[in-house]
Each structure stands twice: as structure tokens, then as C-alpha cells.
Amino acid sequence: MTWLEFSGHNITRRMYAFYSALLLASLLRVTVGAKWCYESQVSCDHKCKGPNEWADIAPTCGGTSQSPINLVTKKITFKKSLTALEFYSYQETFHSVITNNGHTAKVNLSGAAQINGGELESNYKAMEIHFHWGKNGSPGSEHTIDGEQYPMEMHIVHIKEMYRSVEEALTDPSGVAVLGFLFQETGSSNKKYESIINALANIAHPGNSTTLQSLSLDLLIPSHSMLTSYFRYKGSLTTPGCTESVIWTVFEDAILLSKEQLSAFSALQFEDGAPMVGTFRPVQPLNGREVFYSRCNVVFVNTMLVVSAVLTTFMTLKA
Ligand SMILES: *[C@@H]1O[C@H](CO)[C@@H](O)[C@H](O)[C@H]1NC(C)=O
Ligand SMILES: *[C@@H]1O[C@H](CO)[C@@H](O)[C@H](O)[C@H]1NC(C)=O
Ligand SMILES: [Zn+2]
């Protein structure tokens, strides 16, 4: 072999190594770099990973304690110790910022408002509010009750008092407590939601944010006396990385908004300019987890049974 032949061979080998490295890098970019998105954003050209593929980006999304879930009222376990939550500083007004982060509208909170009670291990402080919705008021909640999907769901994300950030709290299997509120459509508009709904017009594009003056958490949730009926289970974040560190509390009493108010959320846009709609993850398998319910009342009993029981009692009394 002459020197020339040898070096030519060497160059070919080097080029081969270079091109395979390039090929590998581009393959990695496709799998690692692909962004997550909702089912409503998935198109044939597969630019983003829909919920069925989230586990490719964040393996925990394929875990066994995932959220959201369908809450089956016939299979829940009544638990007396799930007493009413205690809300601290929920009545205090604050200034905050509402942001379109490309996946939802989120409101930052300072951690001043806190919750405890209802079997929570410690005080948990409120760090963030965000929403999940359908399209112009069509089904869009994450949790469902007996298979029924509500038009919207609000999450108030709390972390144990000792942690500084949601990221830090996620390292603790019970570090995060999310309160989930379902919405229902009603005929008249809900004045309490006007400031948030008016703000949506200013945050149409991802990255936009605007200030919210004088909001309080109490303004956004039903009165505390309506919040004694709730579902409780152990689950996860409903977006990648789907970390299984969340104590879920989903309240039965729904918040009422008009169709116009619900539709206002659909005016936001995703990164590609498409309407931000269908921002929910489909329900996940329960995998043997137990779902607890805070009250042993008649809410879920068939109305006919109640009527006949009342009639029977009445007739027995008369006889
Ligand atoms: C929200 O964030 C903004 C700046 O990003 C800050 O000025 C404001 O005080 C924050 N609000 C709360 C309630 O933490
Ligand atoms: C919202 O974001 C878009 C796109 O980034 C930008 O062009 C626009 O100026 C922003 N609007 C406001 C009010 O910040
Ligand atoms: Zn959420």
C-alpha cells in the first residue's frame, strides 16, 4: 500500500465517521428535540408528540399512577377523615401576571395563600393557577366523573410549605397538592371571572403576558361551604414530565361560566397560530389505585331511590 492509498483510505474512514455522527445527531434531534403537544395539535407530519407519545420524551408519562383519571362514583371509597380543607389567605387580593405559555393560560402566585386539613401532611402553598379547556365550551376538562367530561378545569398548584419551587417539590412523592375545579356552562356570565377573561384578549400569542389587578383566590372558587365534597387520589402532573408526586383533590361542585366566557379561552393561540383548544390529557388507567370521597351523602344516589325512600317513610309514619 502506497502512502497516497493509505491516506485516501483514512480520509474515507474519517468522512464515514463524520457522516454517521451527523446522521446520529439528526436522529437524536428528532426524538429528543420533539416537543410535546395535545391531541388537538397532532397532524400527519408529526411535528410534535401527542399524549400517546409523551412517554418517548418523559418515561414517567408511561407510569402506573398517572393523571387525570375518570372518577367512577360507584367505585369510590367514602372516607370520614377527609374533612373540609382549611384555606388560609385565600381571601387576600394580590397582583399577578397571566401568561400564555404555549400550552395554557397560567397565573403566577406568591405562595401566600395556603391550604391544610383533609388529610394533607402539612401546609401547602399556592404557586400557580392554570386551566384546561375544550373548544368554545365543548368538553375539555381533564378529570371526568362517570365518563362525563366538563367544558373546563382549573388547577391551583400547591407545594409543601418547606419547598421553594414546584421543581423542588416534585422530588417528594407527596410534595405537590393540586386542587381541581370543574366548570359547567350556565346562562348568565360570572362577574367574578371578568378580570381573567378580559385579560385573555391580551395574551393571544405564546410568550405574551399581562397583569391582573386585585384578584383573590376566593373570587375564583365556590364558597368554602360548597367544597366539602371532593375526590382524593394519588397521581401525577398531567403534562410532561408527568411526575408522580401529586395529591389530587377534585371538587364535586362546579364553577359556572357562560358559553361566551368559556369560549374566550379558545381565542388563545398555540405556537403555530392555531386556536389553543383541547388542552387536556385523556384519562389514564387507574391501575388498582383507590379513589376516596370525602362524604357519605346522597349526592350520587339515584333520585328515584330517594323519592321512594321518602315516600315509604311517609307512608309508614301515616300507617
Ligand atoms: C408574578 O410575577 C411577576 C413578574 O414575573 C411579579 O412582578 C409578581 O409580583 C408575581 N406575582 C405574584 C403574586 O407572585
Ligand atoms: C404577543 O406576542 C407576539 C408574538 O411573539 C408579539 O408579536 C406581540 O407583540 C405580543 N403582544 C404583546 C401585547 O405583548
Ligand atoms: Zn393542570
Side-chain angles (χ1 to χ4, degrees):
M1 189 193 289
T2 67
W3 182 83
L4 261 177
E5 269 174 328
F6 175 78
S7 70
H9 179 65
N10 212 2
I11 286 166
T12 317
R13 277 185 54 166
R14 274 197 208 156
M15 281 178 64
Y16 175 74
F18 175 73
Y19 281 117
S20 29
L22 212 69
L23 182 69
L24 188 69
S26 69
L27 280 176
L28 280 175
R29 206 157 55 96
V30 168
T31 51
V32 177
K35 286 185 185 152
W36 71 268
C37 64
Y38 287 110
E39 196 56 46
S40 62
Q41 299 172 267
V42 177
S43 55
C44 325
D45 52 7
H46 280 285
K47 288 230 175 70
C48 63
K49 299 247 177 210
N52 295 336
E53 297 177 303
W54 286 358
D56 298 349
I57 313 169
T60 310
C61 297
T64 54
S65 298
Q66 290 291 292
S67 294
I69 57 167
N70 177 31
L71 301 157
V72 182
T73 58
K74 272 197 297 194
K75 294 185 181 168
I76 50 184
T77 308
F78 297 116
K79 201 175 191 190
K80 242 184 165 165
S81 51
L82 289 177
T83 50
L85 294 190
E86 297 144 29
F87 296 90
Y88 303 104
S89 296
Y90 257 56
Q91 79 288 356
E92 274 171 28
T93 57
F94 54 84
H95 300 296
S96 61
V97 170
I98 185 166
T99 307
N100 175 340
N101 70 359
H103 301 294
T104 187
K106 75 173 226 185
V107 178
N108 69 328
L109 302 173
S110 66
Q114 305 209 347
I115 52 167
N116 203 340
E119 288 212 326
L120 294 175
E121 299 174 8
S122 86
N123 274 358
Y124 284 76
K125 54 186 180 185
M127 304 299 286
E128 176 189 321
I129 305 173
H130 64 256
F131 300 86
H132 301 271
W133 62 86
K135 181 182 183 182
N136 297 322
S138 70
S141 68
E142 296 212 297
H143 289 93
T144 58
I145 300 182
D146 293 330
E148 184 184 353
Q149 191 180 20
Y150 291 71
M152 191 159 81
E153 183 167 338
M154 173 171 70
H155 291 156
I156 309 184
V157 181
H158 298 69
I159 61 174
K160 269 186 193 164
E161 201 178 12
M162 61 194 280
Y163 298 120
R164 278 164 303 175
S165 65
V166 176
E167 291 66 38
E168 198 184 339
L170 285 171
T171 61
D172 174 341
S174 58
V176 177
V178 181
L179 303 187
F181 296 88
L182 299 165
F183 287 71
Q184 252 174 347
E185 187 185 316
T186 185
S188 54
S189 67
N190 182 340
K191 295 269 179 292
K192 295 173 175 178
Y193 268 79
E194 272 182 356
S195 67
I196 284 193
I197 284 160
N198 291 338
L200 297 174
N202 300 324
I203 58 164
H205 304 282
N208 288 164
S209 58
T210 188
T211 56
L212 288 173
Q213 308 289 344
S214 309
L215 199 65
S216 79
L217 292 178
D218 270 346
L219 201 62
L220 302 179
I221 66 172
S223 71
H224 298 180
S225 63
M226 300 299 289
L227 299 178
T228 53
S229 304
Y230 59 85
F231 302 91
R232 165 65 56 75
Y233 76 100
K234 282 225 63 186
S236 72
L237 296 182
T238 64
T239 56
C242 307
T243 319
E244 296 180 342
S245 299
V246 182
I247 312 291
W248 276 97
T249 304
V250 179
F251 295 98
E252 193 195 342
D253 192 52
I255 298 167
L256 304 175
L257 292 186
S258 69
K259 186 166 174 68
E260 289 68 34
Q261 291 183 309
L262 290 166
S263 302
F265 287 84
S266 302
L268 299 196
Q269 293 173 17
F270 287 125
E271 205 69 66
D272 62 359
M276 186 178 278
V277 296
T279 57
F280 60 89
R281 184 189 197 188
V283 292
Q284 302 296 305
L286 202 51
N287 293 319
R289 280 175 289 172
E290 223 174 340
V291 177
F292 299 99
Y293 183 65
S294 63
R295 275 169 63 162
C296 180
N297 58 16
V298 293
V299 172
F300 296 120
V301 177
N302 186 312
T303 323
M304 280 314 286
L305 287 178
V306 178
V307 171
S308 65
V310 170
L311 278 180
T312 313
T313 315
F314 182 66
M315 284 160 82
T316 316
L317 284 174
K318 274 203 96 176

